[in-house]
């Protein structure tokens, strides 16, 4: 059911845009190609920003820094009642979407789909967005280099998300 | 701040990997991630062009204005720099709804369009983010998604009896994170608003 709906959304949306345009006497084909021209330039403009961000994040993940952080944070984790297995996910979810999905798949494989730890991890991943990717792509596209409050607010929202995920999961799954 | 974060990532990785012997993995990661960043951007060209083309139709046909008109009163509060009924409001609305529906590929072009729109009302120097850009990206990084499809898929393959039970907790979590993030960014904006064009 969920699968069918999300599969149908894109074709329906495309059909709706085009039909609405034609109905309002817009030359849809010409207008489409005119607008699509911008796509190339914007995608290319993002490249340097994305390279900067992805290289730094990939280095960080490859160096084992996340394991080290897990070790350092263990006392705090005990205190807030977070299973240590969830920490790599909590850190990675702001940095790398594919990385976070990989870690989640590992957790789910280890504990099984019905374990509360897996479910907590699911909530943690499902409620997140790769903050650093969003910042570098969106600001990169318009050439903004000073991000001001966006970084701090993104990090605070991520931290809040981790804590709320733990809390809500405690209520729902334990 | 971005300068410091970037420096921190790079330096800490090198120092740590020198001690734990993972320096060769870091070396590989540098080269392969630079390459995959380019591959991602090239992959983006197709979807980006597709949605920007459709967006242009929506713009010419007045659909964007219509959406903006309905959401104007609400968005006016969140983004005070945008004038009433400006098309940027529709770009923001489309970006947020595409994200909510899990259409990440469509959300990015809408979001970039919205950022370009916000740029027109940026009172700062062009390379400095405006207050409203910060608010917009905070909403984006909170990542409201009604149905986290990939998470559900993984749950299903690992024998979950009821993958749907994570939906409500996930929604509560994202929404709380969103509210906290927006409240926080609004506080920061109050403390230190747009610096303007002076140095």
């Amino acid at each position: 059911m969920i699968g069918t709906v999300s599969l149908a959304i894109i074709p329906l949306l495309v059909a709706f845009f085009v039909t609405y345009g034609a109905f309002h006497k817009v030359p849809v084909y010409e207008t489409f190609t005119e607008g699509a021209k911008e796509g190339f330039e914007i995608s290319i403009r993002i490249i340097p920003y994305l390279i900067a961000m992805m290289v730094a994040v990939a280095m960080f993940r490859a160096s084992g820094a996340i394991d080290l952080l897990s070790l350092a944070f263990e006392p705090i984790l005990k205190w807030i009642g977070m299973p240590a297995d969830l920490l790599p996910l909590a850190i990675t979810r702001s940095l790398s979407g594919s990385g976070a999905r990989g870690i989640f798949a590992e957790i789910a494989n280890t504990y099984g789909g019905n374990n509360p730890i897996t479910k907590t991890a699911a909530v943690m991943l499902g409620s997140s967005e790769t903050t650093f990717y969003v910042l570098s792509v969106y600001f990169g596209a318009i050439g903004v280099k000073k991000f001001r409050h966006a970084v701090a607010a993104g990090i605070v929202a991520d931290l809040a998300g981790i804590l709320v995920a733990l809390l809500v999961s405690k209520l729902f799954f334990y | 701040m971005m300068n410091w974060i970037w420096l921190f990532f790079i330096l800490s990785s090198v120092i740590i990997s020198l001690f734990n012997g993972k320096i060769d993995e870091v070396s590989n990661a540098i080269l392969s991630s630079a390459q995959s960043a380019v591959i991602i951007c090239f992959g983006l060209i197709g979807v980006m062009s597709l949605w920007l083309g459709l967006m242009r139709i929506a713009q010419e046909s007045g659909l964007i204005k219509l959406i903006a008109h309905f959401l104007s009163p609400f968005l006016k509060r969140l983004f005070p720099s945008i004038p009433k009924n400006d098309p940027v409001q529709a770009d923001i609305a489309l970006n947020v709804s595409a994200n909510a529906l899990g259409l990440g590929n469509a959300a990015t072009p809408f979001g970039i369009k919205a950022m370009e729109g916000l740029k027109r009302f940026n009172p700062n120097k062009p390379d400095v983010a405006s207050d409203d850009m910060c608010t917009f990206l905070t909403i984006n990084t909170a990542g409201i998604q009604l149905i986290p499809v990939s998470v559900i898929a993984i749950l299903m393959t690992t024998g979950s009896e009821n993958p749907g039970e994570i939906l409500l907790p996930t929604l509560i979590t994202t929404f709380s994170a969103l509210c906290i993030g927006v409240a926080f960014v609004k506080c920061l904006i109050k403390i230190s608003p747009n610096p303007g064009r002076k140095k």
Side-chain angles (χ1 to χ4, degrees):
Chain A
M1 171 62 191
I2 288 166
T4 339
V5 170
S6 49
L7 280 179
I9 287 175
I10 290 184
L12 287 176
L13 211 57
V14 173
F16 174 67
F17 274 44
V18 177
T19 319
Y20 191 92
F23 192 75
H24 286 80
K25 305 216 160 50
V26 174
V28 283
Y29 179 77
E30 280 111 317
T31 314
F32 175 85
T33 46
E34 201 52 47
K37 274 182 197 159
E38 285 174 52
F40 184 79
E41 203 218 323
I42 291 179
S43 310
I44 299 301
R45 219 187 300 157
I46 302 168
I47 291 179
Y49 299 90
L50 206 59
I51 289 180
M53 188 45 64
M54 284 183 62
V55 167
V57 168
M59 287 174 75
F60 196 66
R61 292 188 55 219
S63 71
I66 291 174
D67 303 330
L68 211 68
L69 276 178
S70 306
L71 220 64
F73 279 113
E74 220 174 271
I76 305 173
L77 295 191
K78 282 233 173 75
W79 186 64
I80 58 172
M82 174 167 159
D85 291 322
L86 292 180
L87 191 72
L89 179 68
I91 300 170
T92 311
R93 65 175 209 149
S94 312
L95 302 176
S96 151
S98 57
R101 267 195 302 280
I103 294 174
F104 172 62
E106 248 173 69
I107 294 174
N109 269 324
T110 316
Y111 291 95
N114 292 311
N115 190 292
I117 292 186
T118 306
K119 291 180 202 164
T120 310
V123 172
M124 215 176 252
L125 180 61
S127 64
S128 75
E129 175 64 82
T130 20
T131 303
F132 285 89
Y133 172 83
V134 169
L135 291 180
S136 43
V137 165
Y138 284 19
F139 277 137
I142 59 164
V144 163
K145 295 188 187 77
K146 300 228 166 24
F147 297 2
R148 289 182 62 229
H149 309 313
V151 183
I155 292 172
V156 164
D158 285 345
L159 288 176
I162 293 168
L163 292 177
V164 177
L166 288 173
L167 203 75
V168 175
S169 301
K170 274 252 142 66
L171 292 174
F172 275 81
F173 305 137
Y174 283 85
Chain B
M1 189 157 189
M2 221 45 214
N3 284 319
W4 290 110
I5 291 178
W6 204 58
L7 196 67
F8 166 77
F9 275 140
I10 291 177
L11 275 184
S12 61
S13 323
V14 173
I15 293 169
I16 291 169
S17 60
L18 277 175
F19 279 100
N20 65 9
K22 287 192 169 177
I23 194 81
D24 55 325
E25 287 172 43
V26 172
S27 171
N28 287 336
I30 293 176
L31 301 175
S32 65
S33 60
Q35 199 173 8
S36 55
V38 175
I39 292 170
I40 288 180
C41 289
F42 269 79
L44 216 53
I45 296 175
V47 250
M48 190 81 88
S49 305
L50 169 75
W51 287 106
L52 289 178
L54 290 171
M55 284 288 276
R56 184 66 66 90
I57 296 177
Q59 210 176 328
E60 303 275 310
S61 62
L63 184 60
I64 297 277
K65 276 235 168 70
L66 194 73
I67 300 171
H69 180 77
F70 276 108
L71 292 165
S72 216
F74 173 69
L75 290 174
K76 187 81 197 124
R77 277 160 198 265
L78 271 175
F79 304 101
S81 79
I82 307 175
K84 209 170 157 244
N85 293 337
D86 194 273
V88 188
Q89 295 182 324
D91 295 333
I92 292 174
L94 285 170
N95 166 264
V96 173
S97 9
N99 265 327
L101 296 172
L103 311 173
N105 279 335
T108 310
F110 293 150
I112 289 175
K113 204 101 193 111
M115 287 297 276
E116 281 178 337
L118 287 171
K119 198 177 176 177
R120 284 188 283 133
F121 310 115
N122 186 357
N124 309 325
K125 284 194 272 179
D127 65 340
V128 179
S130 71
D131 290 349
D132 283 353
M133 287 176 189
C134 295
T135 311
F136 176 59
L137 286 195
T138 307
I139 294 173
N140 248 283
T141 55
I144 319 168
Q145 199 180 340
L146 300 178
I147 301 166
V149 182
S150 62
V151 174
I152 301 268
I154 295 174
L155 277 180
M156 278 159 91
T157 58
T158 52
S160 167
E161 279 154 14
N162 179 17
E165 70 181 322
I166 67 142
L167 290 180
L168 184 62
T170 305
L171 206 59
I172 297 174
T173 305
T174 354
F175 197 69
S176 319
L178 172 75
C179 294
I180 293 168
V182 170
F184 186 73
V185 81
K186 286 289 176 192
C187 284
L188 290 181
I189 287 170
K190 200 144 234 171
I191 295 166
S192 127
N194 282 323
R197 288 205 178 263
K198 59 183 189 305
K199 271 228 280 194

